[in-house]
Amino acid sequence: MEDGSHRFPFPYQAYPIQEQFMEALYCALEQGKVGIFESPTGTGKSLSLICGALSWLKDYEERRRQETAALLQGEEAVLSTSTIPPSSTPQSSTPGSSAEPDWITDFVQKKAGRDLVSKLKEDELKRKKREERLEMIRNNVQLKYAMKRKTHEDDEAFKVLQLSKEGPVEASGDPEEEELIVAEYESDDESKTKSKFCGTEDDDDDDLVEEHVTKIYYCSRTHSQLAQFVHEVQKSPFSKDISLVTLGSRQNLCINDEVLRLGSIQRINDRCMEMQKNKHEKQHQEEGVKRKRGPAKSVCPYVGATALQQLRDEVLGAVHDIEQLVSMGRKMNSCPYYATRLAVPPAQLVVLPYQMVLHEATRRASGIQLKGQVLIIDEAHNLSDTLSCIHSMELTGAQFCRAHSQLTQYSERYKSRLKAKNLMYIKQILFVFEGLVRVLGGKVGLNPQSQTTQPGTEMLTINNLLFKAQIDNINLFKLQRYFEKSMISRKLCGFMEKYAGTGVSPHTQTNTNKENRRTEGLNRYLQTLQSSAASVPAADQQGAVEAEKVLSASPMMQMEGFLMALTNTNADGRVVVHRQGTLSESSVKFLLLNPAVHFTQVLKECRAVIIAGGTMQPVSDFKEELLFSAGVGEERIAEFSCGHVIPPENILPIVLCSGPSGQELDFTFQNRDAPRMMDETGRILSNICNVVPGGVVCFFPSYEYSRRIVSHWEASGALARLANKKKIFQEPKKANQVEQVLSEFSRCIQRCAADGGRLSGALLFSVVGGKMSEGINFSDDLGRCVVMVGMPYPNIKSPELQEKMSYLDKHLSHTGGRSPGQALIDNLCMKAVNQSIGRAIRHRGDYASIVMCDRRYSRPATLSKLPNWIKAQTNTHTTFGPAFAALRKFFMDKKQQQQQAV
């Protein structure tokens, strides 16, 4: 085996733990394992992932080339030396044998050999062409593609870009409304459904369609994390010879200002698809199809096939993040959203958000093929919860009523022009909506805001919901296929865009009493929504406009998702029915209890799956709930956990069991609101602020408790005493204010360090699981001490959590004398703690203290769930004096070291 430093190119001298990480990663990929990799923040995890994984990919591709060359040489040699057997050969076969004659067997073998050689040659030719093209792009050589069917280039691009063809236009009717009518739905046979992304089989030889090469899919939670990963790739030794593409939503990648102005993701998606369809229709009109009279339809100017090809090749030629892709798209007048999707098949590294790879329908629509590929899931500490959230769905009574009303209007308006099968399915959908509104205690056709319901929460199995709604006779799988093939949700969105775009009642073509009766319910309801939005104060007019747009838009997309969720098996999900007093506020929520059911296919298809994070502990529930339940054996699982790159003396974790006055710290739900407990917490913080320089970040279990304890300190004067030592900041309620608070927090600490005045820094009150407990960097002076007040256990009375615990108790084995449900509670708490305390210590030279204020942290079972690099240094103090002395000594030593270094 080669030395690790030679095997893994690295931009600088790698730490030993990075070399160990890359070695373990390489082995896991080579052996097709499911790897759980833990590497604390600040240890260069991203670079280790990049260099380890891409080193394996390069070696794998080289081995494949050598094997192909050897096979070609060997097969050609065999074929050239073999001869056709003489005609007498059949007589030499064993008498009475039922086997084929030898000459037939030989002929079949020769044909198989020739086919193999042909396939290998074809694959090798494709590979060489692909590499030559990328080399030309990287050398800034402009490429010109000769289209096989130049006159049909828009049609070919249209097929690849998942754009559906409409049926033949009828001779009569309003041409503006043709696009709103559902095409004839002829078959329920799922096998006849063609891939919308790849087009028809005739497209296989088209320049736009390429075979998927072996690649690595890297996914993370947010676009900012993906951008950070791409920047790390740009700094790596692989940046010059790797084909990388970053995928995002239309909202992130669209360059059409007319579409972007629509704001919401759903409206942007609908408008984009509509413009592609208009382009397809325009192409047919240019070919000689007579155009019907009517206003010209808007067409997106950024999706020409040639321009998309050129942008695709530019994307593959160098490493770009999303902002760079958008900038390139604007310069080249080509759509980055579609160009990046065309770049997926030949790309070696695809960077994308969780949703695109973990949700099957989104994966299919994005052209993601996992078969035989490598998947790396980063920031995966909450993977189980993420899977559950992606596949869960909650809808209100108002949304059900709105969808029913809109679909009723749609079917009434186009009743004479819809085929019988379409009308049948639309009636079934309406029947389902009526049943679900009935479960909430209301009726369709009436204003949901004026309908009262009996408050309460009810937990139902999927089957019980179907029985209670009296829709158990409806085949939801057929309805799901109808939604997908007919695109009824998009049609209805277009219908509402045309007739109720701003909350105004839709205009009907006739003024007969019958027609008025048909639209009366919808008109009345929309007028109610419009008047309620108009009553918003002038200061909130912009918000009211946005809210009105949301209200007038069709909720059918969400309805489709909810009905799809109900196709899960009865045991894997539950439905929570919340009745809130009025029908409009009441809701039905699908809760996925078994996330493994949607992760199983990913694990089966991928060659290897790497699940990585800074704090993966505790992993026991993770393996039980996601891996073992998905059929993964222990032998396929590889675990790797490394320590931190900081010296052990740079961290001081303390478990504090009592405060300065001797009050035991027990922040259970029964005790934490006691004034003595709040006062003791104030004294602890005051002492900490006396000896800790720079920034102190204090995490509370919830927003409500943070509000109560700060109010108590304000009344008792404790808050003023804290403010005399450090300037106080609080985590904002609105996400768009986080950056501003962090910026002011940082400037205050820098200012205090520079002027050496009365204040020694800043104190930030934050919340576990809030906006600052994940993804925020409190490095160096920003976070010299992290204080955990209490243990952030989830609400045990939550119906959803109780159902989840019950499910785990029933389906998972009991270990260590604790039920799986109770283990879930403990693990949820400690995962949140680990994320919060991981905000400090962000690089090798950093140092910080961690103070966990609650005697329950001293339990061995709790300590075992801390990250190994923190657990090894943790000291438990039953009294405050020794803990405070250790804290003061820690920072005095650091101050002396800094003075000596100067």
Side-chain angles (χ1 to χ4, degrees):
M1 181 180 289
E2 293 178 337
D3 182 77
S5 60
H6 292 98
R7 167 179 279 185
F8 304 111
F10 216 71
Y12 52 81
Q13 180 61 46
Y15 299 131
I17 61 171
Q18 288 177 315
E19 292 180 353
Q20 295 164 16
F21 184 106
M22 291 186 287
E23 188 67 46
L25 176 62
Y26 191 102
C27 292
L29 297 181
E30 183 67 20
Q31 297 167 13
K33 299 277 190 179
V34 176
I36 302 174
F37 280 67
E38 181 182 55
S39 180
T41 303
T43 56
K45 170 168 60 73
S46 294
L47 264 178
S48 300
L49 282 170
I50 291 165
C51 295
L54 293 183
S55 293
W56 172 85
L57 183 61
K58 292 294 183 184
D59 290 351
Y60 177 79
E61 289 176 341
E62 181 58 33
R63 284 201 307 272
R64 286 286 300 273
R65 279 194 286 269
Q66 293 174 0
E67 289 169 3
T68 299
L71 278 171
L72 275 173
Q73 187 175 0
E75 288 292 340
E76 287 179 337
V78 169
L79 289 174
S80 64
T81 56
S82 64
T83 57
I84 299 176
S87 58
S88 60
T89 302
Q91 299 173 1
S92 64
S93 60
T94 305
S97 172
S98 60
E100 295 286 352
D102 289 345
W103 67 273
I104 294 180
T105 303
D106 188 63
F107 176 79
V108 171
Q109 290 174 345
K110 283 179 63 182
K111 185 178 185 304
R114 283 194 298 269
D115 290 345
L116 176 61
V117 170
S118 177
K119 178 70 166 60
L120 290 173
K121 285 182 176 179
E122 184 182 346
D123 290 346
E124 186 68 9
L125 185 62
K126 284 181 181 178
R127 183 187 63 78
K128 287 181 178 178
K129 284 177 66 177
R130 188 165 54 244
E131 290 180 353
E132 288 172 3
R133 189 173 71 215
L134 287 174
E135 191 60 33
M136 293 171 71
I137 296 166
R138 287 171 181 143
N139 291 330
N140 295 319
V141 176
Q142 182 150 10
L143 301 180
K144 301 289 185 181
Y145 289 97
M147 300 295 289
K148 289 183 178 139
R149 296 181 296 278
K150 188 65 177 174
T151 56
H152 295 277
E153 65 177 20
D154 287 345
D155 187 40
E156 297 299 326
F158 178 87
K159 291 175 184 176
V160 175
L161 303 178
Q162 315 175 53
L163 308 177
S164 60
K165 294 183 180 180
E166 296 293 325
V169 178
E170 296 180 8
S172 61
D174 182 358
E176 292 181 45
E177 296 194 345
E178 295 297 337
E179 64 189 53
L180 301 179
I181 299 174
V182 179
E184 184 173 0
Y185 187 74
E186 296 177 345
S187 175
D188 295 333
D189 186 359
E190 190 175 13
S191 64
K192 294 182 181 178
T193 305
K194 293 180 179 178
S195 168
K196 294 179 182 178
F197 185 83
C198 295
T200 63
E201 293 177 1
D202 296 333
D203 293 327
D204 287 346
D205 63 341
D206 187 73
D207 285 340
L208 287 176
V209 180
E210 292 195 40
E211 184 182 351
H212 281 249
V213 302
T214 302
K215 61 172 71 6
I216 295 169
Y217 289 101
Y218 171 90
C219 65
S220 193
R221 288 184 306 116
T222 65
H223 283 291
S224 61
Q225 288 169 340
L226 296 176
Q228 184 179 351
F229 179 82
V230 172
H231 295 155
E232 293 291 328
V233 176
Q234 289 172 333
K235 293 188 292 185
S236 78
F238 297 91
S239 60
K240 301 299 182 184
D241 56 357
I242 191 73
S243 299
L244 179 148
V245 58
T246 304
L247 298 184
S249 65
R250 285 182 174 89
Q251 195 174 38
N252 292 111
L253 289 170
C254 179
I255 59 172
N256 190 325
D257 293 330
E258 175 195 337
V259 177
L260 281 174
R261 276 196 293 268
L262 296 174
S264 74
I265 294 178
Q266 180 179 324
R267 290 164 68 88
I268 288 174
N269 288 342
D270 294 341
R271 182 61 175 151
C272 177
M273 297 298 288
E274 178 190 344
M275 294 177 85
Q276 306 320 310
K277 179 171 63 63
N278 293 345
K279 182 177 179 66
H280 178 58
E281 291 173 352
K282 180 181 177 183
Q283 184 263 324
H284 279 293
Q285 290 158 9
E286 289 172 353
E287 289 179 1
V289 178
K290 187 176 179 181
R291 184 184 182 279
K292 291 188 177 295
R293 297 179 64 182
K297 296 178 180 178
S298 179
V299 171
C300 184
Y302 303 109
V303 290
T306 304
L308 285 176
Q309 284 179 322
Q310 291 173 350
L311 181 55
R312 173 197 65 180
D313 291 333
E314 289 293 332
V315 168
L316 293 170
V319 177
H320 307 95
D321 62 21
I322 281 187
E323 286 74 17
Q324 292 167 332
L325 291 175
V326 171
S327 176
M328 285 169 53
R330 291 191 181 279
K331 287 179 184 176
M332 299 176 67
N333 288 322
S334 183
C335 176
Y337 176 79
Y338 285 122
T340 51
R341 273 148 184 75
L342 293 175
V344 168
Q348 296 167 297
L349 179 56
V350 180
V351 180
L352 68 173
Y354 276 174
Q355 174 83 9
M356 284 189 180
V357 75
L358 297 178
H359 190 265
E360 183 183 1
T362 308
R363 189 165 69 236
R364 192 168 59 243
S366 303
I368 306 300
Q369 296 181 13
L370 296 179
K371 186 71 175 177
Q373 310 291 20
V374 170
L375 173 63
I376 298 176
I377 305 173
D378 203 1
E379 301 298 331
H381 53 276
N382 283 333
L383 181 58
S384 179
D385 295 337
T386 301
L387 280 162
S388 296
C389 289
I390 287 174
H391 295 92
S392 295
M393 177 74 64
E394 184 172 16
L395 293 169
T396 64
Q399 288 175 301
F400 280 117
C401 289
R402 196 157 70 246
H404 185 279
S405 183
Q406 293 173 3
L407 189 56
T408 300
Q409 289 300 304
Y410 178 87
S411 62
E412 287 290 340
R413 184 172 189 84
Y414 301 122
K415 182 168 62 175
S416 62
R417 301 168 70 181
L418 290 169
K419 301 296 182 182
K421 206 136 198 176
N422 279 314
L423 288 172
M424 180 193 77
Y425 277 109
I426 288 174
K427 285 181 179 178
Q428 286 188 11
I429 295 170
L430 290 171
F431 184 72
V432 170
F433 292 168
E434 289 172 18
L436 292 172
V437 170
R438 239 186 344 260
V439 170
L440 287 172
K443 291 182 180 180
V444 297
L446 301 175
N447 189 333
Q449 292 176 334
S450 62
Q451 296 188 62
T452 58
T453 59
Q454 187 67 34
T457 299
E458 188 178 9
M459 184 73 67
L460 300 171
T461 64
I462 297 174
N463 286 346
N464 285 344
L465 173 75
L466 300 181
F467 288 133
K468 189 163 186 174
Q470 299 176 5
I471 56 174
D472 52 296
N473 59 329
I474 301 293
N475 188 329
L476 294 179
F477 293 94
K478 283 190 174 183
L479 272 190
Q480 180 184 339
R481 286 201 296 276
Y482 177 74
F483 270 111
E484 291 176 357
K485 295 173 72 174
S486 69
M487 295 180 292
I488 181 68
S489 298
R490 271 209 303 124
K491 302 289 185 182
L492 194 58
C493 287
F495 174 74
M496 289 309 299
E497 185 81 23
K498 181 173 182 179
Y499 290 112
T502 58
V504 179
S505 304
H507 299 289
T508 52
Q509 287 186 319
T510 60
N511 294 318
T512 63
N513 290 334
K514 183 178 180 182
E515 188 70 18
N516 287 337
R517 283 197 302 273
R518 288 176 181 173
T519 59
E520 185 179 0
L522 178 61
N523 292 344
R524 210 169 40 237
Y525 177 47
L526 290 172
Q527 284 167 1
T528 304
L529 298 178
Q530 186 182 13
S531 62
S532 63
S535 64
V536 177
D540 294 332
Q541 281 183 355
Q542 184 176 356
V545 171
E546 290 301 316
E548 193 175 336
K549 285 182 180 179
V550 173
L551 285 171
S552 63
S554 173
M556 277 293 283
M557 293 287 188
Q558 292 93 320
M559 301 290 138
E560 182 178 343
F562 184 78
L563 295 184
M564 186 182 299
L566 293 183
T567 60
N568 281 278
T569 59
N570 191 53
D572 289 337
R574 293 291 182 272
V575 179
V576 188
V577 180
H578 286 293
R579 299 185 186 90
Q580 304 279 11
T582 64
L583 177 60
S584 62
E585 294 177 355
S586 300
S587 65
V588 180
K589 179 180 182 180
F590 173 79
L591 177 68
L592 181 68
L593 298 178
N594 181 19
V597 71
H598 292 289
F599 199 45
T600 302
Q601 187 179 3
V602 172
L603 293 168
K604 284 182 178 177
E605 288 188 0
C606 290
R607 171 196 175 94
V609 177
I610 304 300
I611 301 163
T615 51
M616 294 300 294
Q617 295 294 332
V619 298
S620 54
D621 66 321
F622 185 88
K623 289 163 65 176
E624 281 281 349
E625 190 177 354
L626 273 187
L627 302 185
F628 296 155
S629 297
V632 178
E634 185 73 57
E635 70 282 354
R636 196 189 170 197
I637 299 174
E639 291 186 53
F640 177 85
S641 179
C642 63
H644 212 293
V645 292
I646 62 166
E649 60 270 17
N650 276 21
I651 183 172
L652 180 66
I654 293 173
V655 174
L656 200 56
C657 298
S658 60
S661 68
Q663 172 65 48
E664 184 180 56
L665 300 179
D666 184 9
F667 289 90
T668 56
F669 186 76
Q670 294 80 9
N671 297 331
R672 65 184 184 182
D673 285 332
R676 66 181 186 280
M677 195 68 70
M678 292 183 174
D679 290 338
E680 194 76 342
T681 308
R683 286 189 282 269
I684 291 170
L685 272 181
S686 181
N687 278 278
I688 288 174
C689 290
N690 280 334
V691 298
V692 176
V696 175
V697 184
C698 179
F699 284 100
F700 296 105
S702 67
Y703 283 104
E704 180 58 25
Y705 188 66
S706 171
R707 184 190 64 77
R708 288 202 300 268
I709 198 169
V710 170
S711 297
H712 178 83
W713 289 343
E714 199 169 11
S716 67
L719 195 67
R721 289 192 292 273
L722 287 172
N724 286 331
K725 297 163 185 175
K726 292 186 183 289
K727 185 173 181 180
I728 296 174
F729 295 85
Q730 293 193 49
E731 180 176 313
K733 291 285 183 68
K734 296 181 180 178
N736 58 5
Q737 297 174 347
V738 170
E739 284 298 327
Q740 180 185 349
V741 172
L742 286 175
S743 178
E744 292 175 2
F745 178 71
S746 175
R747 283 200 299 269
C748 175
I749 291 170
Q750 292 171 356
R751 196 165 52 246
C752 291
D755 61 23
R758 175 176 58 87
L759 297 177
S760 63
L763 171 61
L764 174 63
F765 295 143
S766 190
V767 175
V768 176
K771 302 171 186 67
M772 295 184 177
S773 63
E774 288 191 37
I776 303 296
N777 185 346
F778 291 110
S779 62
D780 299 320
D781 278 348
L782 293 184
R784 288 303 181 200
C785 182
V786 175
V787 181
M788 295 295 303
V789 176
M791 296 187 71
Y793 279 103
N795 180 12
I796 192 74
K797 295 182 179 178
S798 161
E800 290 93 336
L801 186 57
Q802 288 181 348
E803 197 64 30
K804 179 76 172 180
M805 292 171 65
S806 175
Y807 177 86
L808 294 177
D809 288 342
K810 184 178 178 180
H811 291 87
L812 298 185
S813 58
H814 290 54
T815 54
R818 295 178 72 79
S819 69
Q822 186 57 50
L824 171 70
I825 298 295
D826 294 339
N827 291 335
L828 286 174
C829 171
M830 290 309 296
K831 279 182 180 178
V833 169
N834 291 340
Q835 279 302 302
S836 298
I837 62 180
R839 297 309 92 210
I841 309 287
R842 310 298 285 189
H843 58 84
R844 182 177 179 84
D846 207 352
Y847 64 91
S849 60
I850 299 168
V851 181
M852 292 169 272
C853 301
D854 198 308
R855 65 174 182 79
R856 292 174 292 174
Y857 282 111
S858 64
R859 297 178 301 201
T862 302
L863 286 172
S864 69
K865 289 178 168 49
L866 289 171
N868 291 331
W869 63 281
I870 294 178
K871 178 173 58 181
Q873 304 300 320
T874 301
N875 291 308
T876 300
H877 294 277
T878 55
T879 57
F880 183 77
F884 182 71
L887 194 67
R888 182 171 53 193
K889 182 178 186 302
F890 177 80
F891 285 105
M892 287 180 64
D893 290 347
K894 294 302 173 189
K895 185 176 181 180
Q896 289 176 0
Q897 290 173 13
Q898 289 175 341
Q899 290 173 345
Q900 291 170 2
V902 173

